[in-house]
Amino acid sequence: MARSASEQLAGNYDVVCLGREELNLLDTKKVFQYIRNNQFDAVIHTATYDAAPEFSTNDPKLVLENNLKMFFNVARCKDYFGKMIYLGSGAEFGRENWVPKMSEEYYDKHVPTDQYGLSKYIMMQHTLVSKNIFNLRLFGLFGKYDDWRYRFIPNACCKVVLGLPLVIKQNARFDYLYIDDLVKIIEWFITNEPKHKDYNICSGLVYDYVTLANKILDIGSKNLDIIIKKGGLRDEYSGNNARIVGEMKDFSFTDVDEAIEEVYCWYNENKRLIKKELFVY
């Protein structure tokens, strides 16, 4: 996310994009000193403590603690930046209680039981009483710099590029947002004064994994197997985007087929980045 945002915003803004090596957001003192010394017009907080079991050595028991530390180490510097824009998640609604097309008002109907969802829930509690912090709540997101080892659309694109079967653990329905659209929305938040503190940032369109897999096969002109390991359909993960659409009025989301084709073509041109042995089935 950060890489795409910095690349696309650099043409209109002076952008500073810092990785963990340049500024560890878990270091309270250094974060405060850095933000106080630079006094940015906007801080875009995209960091998360990733503990995906197949690919990360991070301790899943620290997801709540570290996500909150990183968030509050930035948020507490509120007097030294114009506004803070961070990426929330539909997980803050509580995974066990997802319903289709959740609106912003669905927040706080339930308290999440998982560490990631709870961390986002607590961030939102703080956002509600802040003056210059805004939550862009995401559902499904995809783009060319995603972790292709487990993010569904990039993962499927890479497998089709290599001619491998598409293995789906279980079919599910998601509202996917293209990363380029998210960056345009972030730019709107930089230059405008939003009416609310939180917004569902989603396309409003829902697709299941099998439909998306077939779209990718069509784009790649490949005839490969689609293998579904577990039957049934998981709970739909989608949001109501009426609030953001109402404020951005003239904004239009990228057609999903066009967006997927851009991601597929990028991986097809960068095959060297795909390591077949890293796929998990």
Side-chain angles (χ1 to χ4, degrees):
M1 165 60 217
R3 184 175 174 182
S4 292
S6 61
E7 286 182 356
Q8 295 178 43
L9 294 174
N12 297 322
Y13 305 93
D14 291 327
V15 178
V16 178
C17 184
L18 301 173
R20 188 182 302 110
E21 298 76 16
E22 293 85 16
L23 182 65
N24 184 354
L25 294 182
L26 294 174
D27 190 323
T28 301
K29 183 177 180 180
K30 288 184 179 179
V31 171
F32 182 82
Q33 290 175 338
Y34 185 82
I35 293 178
R36 182 189 60 187
N37 292 342
N38 287 276
Q39 304 209 12
F40 298 103
D41 294 316
V43 174
I44 304 168
H45 176 51
T46 64
T48 188
Y49 185 79
D50 188 3
E54 298 97 333
F55 307 107
S56 176
T57 58
N58 288 340
D59 186 349
K61 295 178 181 179
L62 295 178
V63 170
L64 175 65
E65 177 182 336
N66 286 348
N67 274 346
L68 291 178
K69 279 183 178 179
M70 290 190 290
F71 174 83
F72 283 107
N73 280 343
V74 177
R76 67 189 288 268
C77 304
K78 60 186 181 301
D79 294 332
Y80 300 104
F81 53 70
K83 63 180 66 169
M84 174 181 173
I85 301 162
Y86 77 95
L87 304 183
S89 167
E92 63 201 66
F93 291 143
R95 298 175 191 270
E96 301 87 353
N97 300 286
W98 283 346
V99 295
K101 303 289 184 181
M102 293 175 285
S103 69
E104 287 84 358
E105 287 73 19
Y106 198 60
Y107 172 75
D108 205 25
K109 299 295 183 184
H110 307 277
V111 177
T113 57
D114 65 287
Q115 289 207 16
Y116 177 75
L118 184 58
S119 71
K120 295 296 184 179
Y121 174 91
I122 294 171
M123 293 174 199
M124 182 59 197
Q125 287 287 319
H126 180 75
T127 298
L128 288 171
V129 297
S130 71
K131 292 182 179 180
N132 60 345
I133 300 177
F134 301 93
N135 174 11
L136 305 192
R137 185 178 294 112
L138 302 180
F139 295 82
L141 182 69
F142 72 99
K144 61 186 180 183
Y145 297 135
D146 272 349
D147 193 329
W148 52 266
R149 295 174 301 171
Y150 66 97
R151 296 289 186 183
F152 181 77
I153 291 178
N155 179 278
C157 286
C158 289
K159 286 176 179 173
V160 173
V161 165
L162 298 184
L164 301 174
L166 301 182
V167 179
I168 298 172
K169 290 182 180 179
Q170 186 179 17
N171 201 12
R173 289 168 56 82
F174 273 73
D175 184 332
Y176 272 106
L177 177 73
Y178 187 35
I179 187 68
D180 289 14
D181 291 340
L182 174 59
V183 175
K184 292 172 185 174
I185 292 170
I186 288 174
E187 184 169 14
W188 184 89
F189 275 84
I190 292 172
T191 58
N192 291 273
E193 293 303 321
K195 296 177 182 178
H196 301 275
K197 303 311 301 293
D198 66 316
Y199 293 79
N200 289 341
I201 309 300
C202 51
S203 70
L205 299 175
V206 176
Y207 297 93
D208 66 88
Y209 284 159
V210 174
T211 297
L212 292 170
N214 279 307
K215 285 180 179 293
I216 296 167
L217 289 172
D218 288 343
I219 290 168
S221 299
K222 299 283 183 69
N223 183 18
L224 303 170
D225 290 333
I226 298 176
I227 302 169
I228 303 174
K229 299 179 74 172
K230 181 179 179 181
L233 192 67
R234 284 162 41 197
D235 290 340
E236 181 174 314
Y237 187 38
S238 62
N240 182 321
N241 67 3
R243 178 177 289 182
I244 188 62
V245 169
E247 285 194 45
M248 291 187 67
K249 299 189 186 305
D250 297 328
F251 181 77
S252 59
F253 293 92
T254 304
D255 177 79
V256 68
D257 294 273
E258 177 186 337
I260 292 175
E261 184 170 4
E262 289 183 11
V263 173
Y264 177 87
C265 290
W266 189 84
Y267 279 108
N268 195 41
E269 294 168 1
N270 293 274
K271 294 186 181 73
R272 68 188 186 283
L273 300 177
I274 310 171
K275 308 298 182 185
K276 183 177 178 180
E277 65 274 13
L278 295 181
F279 284 122
V280 174
Y281 292 95

